């Protein structure tokens, strides 16, 4: 018999005798003077507390037998955290927490688990992953997020949108992220890389040990602010940059945020009441003010800057942002979205915010892990340097968009970095209608959450032999063709694949090429090997600052 079933029977027995005792005692008038029902007020409080505890307990454990009833291999839930207490408490990294379950059930296609009090299904089989993300996408169109507060327009963006609303916005925004648009924006990225080069040169003259996380975060903020808002944030040169402070605050996941997440998951009624705000009010006010003033200024003076905000303003004015020869949907889908009004200022603000938030830590962390692995592997670093130098020599020594596209070995290095350290260690999907798993008796019920353990797939020796060794050759064309395409998912897959992957890779390649060209990068004696990951974070990030040594290459000025 299950623990919560035994507890429930014990509760009924104890509650029966407690009530009998209360009734008998309460009949004595002299006793009523002391307490409401019992002569001892302390005992009355204890009984009330016990009753409340049991009610909450039974509420939590109600679905703890969900997977057992369906004969699905599962991880037992523990009150009040479910199967993943370390991630609920913010003490464990999501990737390794799911990986323990993944390895425990290595012969299974899927595994049941419980998050706080709700059943989730963790999918291990790449073919089933393919069905969820691609083939049967209509059943799993939505990411499993809370209901967005309709009054909080800042949270209603492409990442959180569901159903038809998401589909229409995705079709509208896809042309803003094509290769042609990236090439158009590269001049802005190049300016930031020139600043990065100068800043690192000045810093290494004083001390060649640099905080890489801080450096790359500031570089990324500079790129995002200039491409998304049309403003020079000067985060690299100004340590007190407001944009940098806002970026850090936007990604902060402190104890209060963890508590809000717990309450939302444990008591879904709060998702309907919209009691909590997960985005700092100062972040909202700052970004809203920046976007609205920038849009008003550009529309008033007819300013064109060839950046992301420029494209959104064109959409606001119902203008096409397709370049000559481009198809609606960026060539991925020939169907046209329904005719609708241009983007509102609120929609522009929301999409600019997710451009800012999603591009900040994802890019800086990928660049950071790439430099870390190059520091650990001097042979691979030398090969990257040789490729960068050789290609740039053909382009007059200057980094250009076309030059970056020809750096194929660097592509392999970045892909291997994202395999070892996926930005999002898992993907979440929500079942929108009952779905029968092929070759199985299990039916996934509507609203059930599905987890795709990206970190585990990336570190499964069946797909990536010796998975904790950094080996860019895994991503040679021949090796890629031998693998199942759905065991490597740094950007997700299917219709909800990351819309900004081209922009993200362009930023990472620019940062790595800029730094490797001028410096030999190595570890300090204190550098962690291997790196420990932060627990209370939505993304994969080191638990402590990463310090690396930058030594000037001979012959480089």
């Amino acid at each position: 018999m299950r623990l919560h079933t035994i507890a429930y029977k014990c509760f009924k027995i104890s509650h029966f005798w407690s009530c009998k005792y209360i009734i008998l005692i309460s009949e004595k008038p002299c006793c009523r003077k002391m307490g409401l029902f019992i002569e001892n007020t302390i005992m009355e409080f204890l009984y009330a507390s016990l009753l409340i505890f049991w009610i909450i307990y039974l509420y939590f454990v109600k679905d703890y037998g969900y997977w057992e009833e369906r004969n699905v291999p599962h991880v037992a839930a523990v009150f009040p955290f479910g199967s993943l207490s370390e991630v609920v408490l913010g003490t464990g990294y999501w990737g390794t927490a799911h990986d323990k379950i993944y390895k425990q059930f290595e012969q299974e296609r899927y595994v049941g688990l419980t998050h706080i009090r709700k059943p989730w299904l963790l999918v291990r089989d790449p073919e089933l992953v393919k069905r969820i993300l691609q083939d049967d996408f209509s059943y799993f169109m939505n990411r499993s997020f809370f209901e967005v507060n309709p009054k909080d327009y800042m949270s209603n963006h492409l990442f959180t949108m569901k159903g038809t609303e998401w589909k229409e916005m995705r079709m509208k925004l896809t042309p803003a992220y094509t290769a042609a648009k990236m090439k158009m924006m590269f001049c802005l990225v190049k300016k930031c890389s020139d600043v990065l080069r100068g800043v690192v040169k000045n810093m290494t003259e004083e001390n060649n040990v640099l905080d890489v996380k801080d450096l790359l975060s500031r570089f990324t903020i500079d790129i995002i602010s200039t491409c998304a808002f049309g403003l020079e944030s000067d985060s690299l040169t100004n340590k007190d940059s407001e944009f940098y402070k806002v970026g850090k605050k936007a990604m902060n996941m402190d104890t209060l945020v963890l508590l809000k997440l717990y309450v939302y998951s444990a008591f879904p009624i709060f998702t309907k009441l919209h009691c909590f705000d997960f985005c700092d009010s100062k972040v909202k006010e700052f970004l809203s003010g920046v976007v609205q003033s920038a849009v008003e200024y550009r529309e008033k003076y007819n300013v064109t800057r060839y950046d992301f905000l420029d494209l959104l303003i064109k959409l606001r004015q119902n203008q096409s942002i397709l370049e000559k020869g481009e198809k609606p949907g960026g060539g991925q889908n020939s169907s046209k979205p329904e005719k609708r009004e241009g983007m509102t200022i609120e929609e522009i603000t929301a999409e600019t915010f997710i451009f800012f938030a999603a591009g900040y830590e994802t890019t800086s962390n990928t660049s950071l892990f790439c430099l870390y692995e190059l520091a650990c592997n001097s042979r691979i670093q030398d090969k990257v340097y040789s490729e960068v130098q050789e290609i740039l020599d053909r382009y007059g020594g200057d980094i250009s968009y076309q030059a970056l596209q020809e750096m194929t070995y660097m592509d392999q290095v970045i892909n291997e970095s994202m395999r070892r350290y996926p930005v999002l260690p898992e993907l979440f999907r929500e079942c929108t209608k009952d779905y029968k798993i092929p070759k199985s008796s299990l039916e996934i019920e509507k609203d059930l959450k599905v987890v795709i353990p990206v970190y585990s797939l990336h570190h499964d020796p069946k797909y990536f032999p010796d998975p904790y060794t950094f080996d860019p050759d895994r991503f040679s064309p021949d090796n890629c063709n031998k693998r199942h395409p759905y065991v490597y998912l740094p950007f997700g897959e299917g219709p909800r694949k990351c819309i900004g992957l081209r922009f993200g890779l362009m930023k990472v390649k620019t940062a790595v090429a800029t730094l490797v060209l001028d410096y030999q990068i190595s570890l300090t004696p204190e550098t962690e090997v291997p790196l420990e990951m932060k627990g209370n974070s939505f993304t994969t990030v080191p638990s402590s600052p990463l310090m690396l040594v930058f030594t000037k290459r001979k012959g480089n000025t």
Side-chain angles (χ1 to χ4, degrees), residues 451-491:
V451 184
I452 298 170
V454 175
Y455 179 91
S456 298
L457 291 169
H458 286 194
H459 292 81
D460 191 328
K462 284 193 299 184
Y463 315 123
F464 300 98
D466 196 10
Y468 295 95
T469 296
F470 189 82
D471 181 11
D473 289 336
R474 299 181 201 274
F475 291 92
S476 66
D478 287 344
N479 286 331
C480 287
N481 291 333
K482 294 175 185 176
R483 266 194 312 271
H484 193 291
Y486 281 74
V487 297
Y488 179 64
L489 302 165
F491 297 104

Side-chain angles (χ1 to χ4, degrees), residues 4-65:
H4 61 271
T5 306
I6 297 172
Y8 179 66
K9 289 183 177 294
C10 292
F11 162 68
K12 290 182 71 176
I13 294 170
S14 62
H15 181 56
F16 170 78
W17 287 109
S18 298
C19 290
K20 292 275 289 182
Y21 178 73
I22 291 171
I23 292 169
L24 289 171
I25 292 295
S26 61
E27 290 176 353
K28 298 182 180 182
C30 61
C31 294
R32 290 178 189 156
K33 296 177 183 178
M34 300 295 295
L36 185 61
F37 295 113
I38 308 173
E39 60 179 304
N40 191 320
T41 306
I42 296 177
M43 287 301 297
E44 183 177 280
F45 174 76
L46 290 175
Y47 272 113
S49 300
L50 181 63
L51 178 62
I52 292 170
F53 172 80
W54 276 108
I55 291 172
I56 293 174
Y57 177 80
L58 293 176
Y59 168 77
F60 269 78
V61 304
K62 181 171 69 73
D63 291 323
Y64 278 13

Side-chain angles (χ1 to χ4, degrees), residues 227-230 291 294-295 298 307-313 348 352:
C227 291
F229 303 97
V291 172
V295 170
R298 292 193 191 193
D307 56 16
F308 183 67
L309 184 60
D310 204 44
L311 299 172
L312 296 184
I313 292 173
I348 289 178
T352 308

Side-chain angles (χ1 to χ4, degrees), residues 318-330:
N318 278 318
Q319 298 180 38
S320 172
I321 59 173
L322 292 170
E323 299 295 320
K324 187 176 181 180
E326 284 185 335
K327 297 178 181 180

Side-chain angles (χ1 to χ4, degrees), residues 150-187:
K151 296 180 180 179
D152 182 15
Y153 64 85
M154 187 81 88
S155 299
N156 192 33
H157 45 65
L158 193 64
F159 195 80
T160 58
M161 285 179 177
K162 298 183 177 183
T164 303
E165 185 183 27
W166 165 80
K167 191 174 183 180
E168 290 184 354
M169 185 60 74
R170 176 82 181 206
M171 288 292 293
K172 181 168 285 208
L173 290 177
T174 296
Y177 290 92
T178 61
K181 301 301 189 305
M182 297 304 102
K183 189 173 183 179
M184 182 179 71
M185 288 187 208
F186 182 73
C187 61

